[in-house]
Amino acid sequence: MNKSKYIISFDSERLGYGKVTLNNPYGSGILPGVTAILGENGSGKTTLGTILEKGRYAYGNRLTFSPANLKVKMLAFTDIHSLSGMEVTYYHQRMEATMNDYVPTVADIMKRRNAPHDWIERCESLGLKNIAEKKINYLSSGELRKLLIVNALLTKPDVLVLDNPYIGLDADSRKEFDAMIVQLRQQGVSTVMLLCDPEDIPPYTDNLIILQNRTISLPLSIKKEIDCIKEQGKSNEDINSLSIPLHSNTPATYSIAFEIKNGKVHYGDKQIFSGVNWKVNAGECWGLKGRNGSGKSLLLSLICADNPQAYSNDITLFDRKRGSGESIFDIKDKIGYVSPEMQLYFKSADSVREIVVQGKRNSLNRYRPSSEEERAEAMEWLRVLGIDHLSDRLFSDLSNGEQRLVLLARAFIKQPSLLVLDEPFHGLDAARKKRVKEIVNALVERNKSALIFVSHYDNEVPQCVNKFYDLSLK
């Protein structure tokens, strides 16, 4: 590879940032155009992206930028806190009315950032319509991702680094995103996409860098390699043999897992959805569908006792009418829940193993010292998901994909009456996606749990899902 063609050349044999070090034995680098960096969970993709943006001279790194003043901007889903200028300290706090008095709207943020006058047009080009007066904490994960992209483009970068850019985007939004990236390439802006699944590599990609065992490959011409890479990804989708630990809790008995009649959610004068009638019986497996912004996550927040507007709705949970004296903990103890927003706000100073143990406990005993038996069961779940080597690590030190796997283990160990999985494959590589699908199928078949599953990709939906509710039709 002629290094003179690189716009960013990796000149040192090792590159590092924080606690992660990457090997660069071939003298790799970034070429103009669209580059996909592909690697499994924990391979160092986010570290490499961070190095491109702000690690040029850190930790002994040696990189050459051409031109020298090349401007690199990286964004990830976690950038919500820096975008809003505030940090929500726990997940359901974003739903509380008192909290909303202090949450800025999108227009407030753009005004504070002195955004160019065309920012609304840029939003609309990505399908973000009527976005200006929405409060930032009520954007869906897809809307938030689009807004982060718009915000990054307002800085006029030469190189845009996107960490798993497709997650959270519905089919139409993915098409709009692809059109935007192609347009940026025509305008001379290069894009680097950090991806963990070969299926996410877009057809217009110019070059591919593979991260394996934290070693950086030379750029490959993707036009010749893409089909081969995707086939290799499909054939390398096994981690460990599947052996789900036995259920050690007494399962709850109920007829109706969840029911809402004429359901509605509004904020101020804005109606998010209305006229929702949906019933999930015990043992049923449902897929919840809907375009970005249709209110899927808000509907799930009513189910999982995170949204106070549940009290103004006619809702039944586990045969009991909401607001009839049950506590929030009574509800949460029967539900295993994972979502992008939950991961965004999740904080813990405990080890990965202890976090998984806490998922098994009821709310009142969640933080007592763990027993040897509980730790052993947690390790079994970590092994099934292929992350038992992370058991002593801190949650904050993990990659986004590894964090998602820990939260899934935390939900699975409960083996709950109702499993609510809101886009659970965010940031997972192909092998982990396959494994999570196998676990979900096995859990609901063995325990007769009810399931609500959300994904914008039809091929991610587990086989057990045989009913669908489409919120876009409301």
Side-chain angles (χ1 to χ4, degrees):
M1 177 65 64
N2 186 350
K3 296 187 69 170
S4 66
K5 295 182 180 180
Y6 290 149
I7 55 175
I8 303 177
S9 174
F10 306 152
D11 300 329
S12 48
E13 292 185 3
R14 287 181 176 80
L15 300 173
Y17 203 93
K19 299 178 180 179
V20 179
T21 300
L22 306 176
N23 298 312
N24 177 42
Y26 311 110
S28 189
I30 304 298
L31 292 164
V34 178
T35 297
I37 297 180
L38 179 68
E40 297 178 350
N41 297 135
S43 60
K45 300 182 299 297
T46 301
T47 296
L48 184 53
T50 304
I51 290 169
L52 294 177
E53 182 187 39
K54 54 187 178 183
R56 181 175 181 178
Y57 300 115
Y59 302 93
N61 299 329
R62 296 195 308 275
L63 287 80
T64 300
F65 284 44
S66 181
N69 62 349
L70 195 75
K71 186 175 183 179
V72 180
K73 176 65 178 178
M74 178 181 172
L75 64 89
F77 183 63
T78 52
D79 290 337
I80 172 61
H81 296 315
S82 61
L83 180 64
S84 64
M86 62 184 301
E87 184 159 343
V88 177
T89 55
Y90 54 95
Y91 168 62
H92 55 273
Q93 182 182 1
R94 70 192 186 102
M95 304 290 182
E96 296 177 357
T98 54
M99 174 69 186
N100 286 326
D101 293 339
Y102 306 99
V103 175
T105 64
V106 173
D108 292 335
I109 291 172
M110 291 303 179
K111 182 178 180 181
R112 190 168 64 209
R113 290 175 174 264
N114 296 315
H117 68 279
D118 65 342
W119 72 268
I120 292 181
E121 286 79 1
R122 287 179 178 265
C123 288
E124 291 181 347
S125 71
L126 273 178
L128 283 173
K129 303 185 185 300
N130 303 316
I131 192 76
E133 298 310 316
K134 278 192 175 183
K135 289 185 177 289
I136 189 72
N137 61 330
Y138 285 112
L139 297 182
S140 70
S141 59
E143 289 176 315
L144 175 58
R145 185 163 294 276
K146 294 180 193 179
L147 183 62
L148 289 169
I149 292 171
V150 170
N151 183 64
L153 291 175
L154 293 177
T155 66
K156 297 183 179 180
D158 300 301
V159 179
L160 186 61
V161 181
L162 303 172
D163 197 351
N164 280 310
Y166 289 105
I167 58 177
L169 299 184
D170 58 34
D172 289 340
S173 297
R174 293 196 296 271
K175 292 178 182 178
E176 293 163 347
F177 170 83
D178 285 338
M180 178 194 68
I181 297 299
V182 171
Q183 184 181 29
L184 287 174
R185 180 172 59 182
Q186 294 170 348
Q187 296 171 354
V189 178
S190 294
T191 303
V192 177
M193 298 188 193
L194 311 178
L195 306 173
C196 51
D197 190 337
E199 289 296 319
D200 288 336
I201 301 173
Y204 52 80
T205 303
D206 299 303
N207 304 287
L208 172 69
I209 292 175
I210 297 176
L211 262 175
Q212 190 171 22
N213 298 323
R214 295 192 174 175
T215 299
I216 308 169
S217 77
L218 286 171
L220 304 172
S221 175
I222 191 63
K223 290 179 174 60
K224 297 180 180 179
E225 301 289 341
I226 184 170
D227 292 335
C228 179
I229 294 295
K230 288 186 176 182
E231 286 303 314
Q232 289 176 356
K234 291 178 182 177
S235 64
N236 186 29
E237 292 181 350
D238 189 31
I239 303 172
N240 297 305
S241 59
L242 180 61
S243 178
I244 296 177
L246 292 175
H247 199 312
S248 58
N249 299 325
T250 302
T253 57
Y254 60 94
S255 298
I256 299 173
F258 165 74
E259 184 176 16
I260 185 169
K261 297 178 181 178
N262 197 27
K264 60 186 181 300
V265 168
H266 65 89
Y267 293 101
D269 297 330
K270 183 171 180 57
Q271 193 84 37
I272 308 300
F273 59 74
S274 62
V276 171
N277 293 283
W278 186 23
K279 182 179 180 180
V280 178
N281 290 312
E284 291 184 341
C285 297
W286 284 80
L288 177 58
K289 304 174 70 174
R291 60 184 178 272
N292 290 143
S294 61
K296 300 185 299 300
S297 294
L298 287 175
L299 178 55
L300 296 182
S301 72
L302 297 177
I303 298 173
C304 297
D306 289 322
N307 195 324
Q309 291 198 42
Y311 294 108
S312 59
N313 278 277
D314 185 352
I315 292 175
T316 298
L317 284 165
F318 306 110
D319 292 341
R320 188 168 183 176
K321 187 174 177 60
R322 190 78 165 90
S324 61
E326 82 293 353
S327 73
I328 289 177
F329 303 119
D330 291 334
I331 297 170
K332 288 184 174 294
D333 287 344
K334 297 183 180 71
I335 299 175
Y337 179 45
V338 176
S339 74
E341 290 83 4
M342 177 185 178
Q343 179 176 342
L344 178 63
Y345 298 111
F346 187 86
K347 299 185 187 304
S348 176
D350 291 314
S351 69
V352 163
R353 181 175 52 247
E354 291 301 313
I355 289 172
V356 176
V357 166
Q358 290 161 13
K360 183 178 175 62
R361 312 265 188 74
N362 63 38
S363 300
L364 295 178
N365 296 307
R366 181 153 293 163
Y367 300 107
R368 66 173 169 78
S370 60
S371 67
E372 183 176 345
E373 181 181 8
E374 288 174 324
R375 292 192 295 272
E377 187 173 354
M379 287 300 296
E380 273 297 291
W381 278 103
L382 293 173
R383 185 194 66 81
V384 167
L385 287 166
I387 54 172
D388 47 316
H389 61 289
L390 302 176
S391 61
D392 293 324
R393 297 270 297 277
L394 295 177
F395 188 82
S396 59
D397 291 339
L398 305 181
S399 71
N400 288 334
E402 289 168 339
Q403 288 181 349
R404 178 57 53 89
L405 290 166
V406 171
L407 294 180
L408 284 166
R410 186 173 182 262
F412 291 153
I413 195 173
K414 183 184 292 188
Q415 305 202 35
S417 301
L418 173 61
L419 194 57
V420 179
L421 301 178
D422 185 0
E423 302 198 68
F425 296 150
H426 273 200
L428 299 190
D429 58 45
R432 267 68 178 200
K433 288 180 181 179
K434 180 183 178 183
R435 177 44 47 94
V436 173
K437 285 174 68 173
E438 291 174 340
I439 292 172
V440 172
N441 282 319
L443 276 179
V444 298
E445 179 180 358
R446 189 180 71 186
N447 298 344
K448 307 306 178 187
S449 304
L451 171 69
I452 298 175
F453 191 94
V454 181
S455 176
H456 289 299
Y457 292 83
D458 292 340
N459 64 347
E460 292 183 351
V461 179
Q463 292 176 329
C464 60
V465 173
N466 54 14
K467 299 174 181 289
F468 292 91
Y469 189 87
D470 193 340
L471 199 54
S472 295
L473 303 179
K474 301 302 168 184

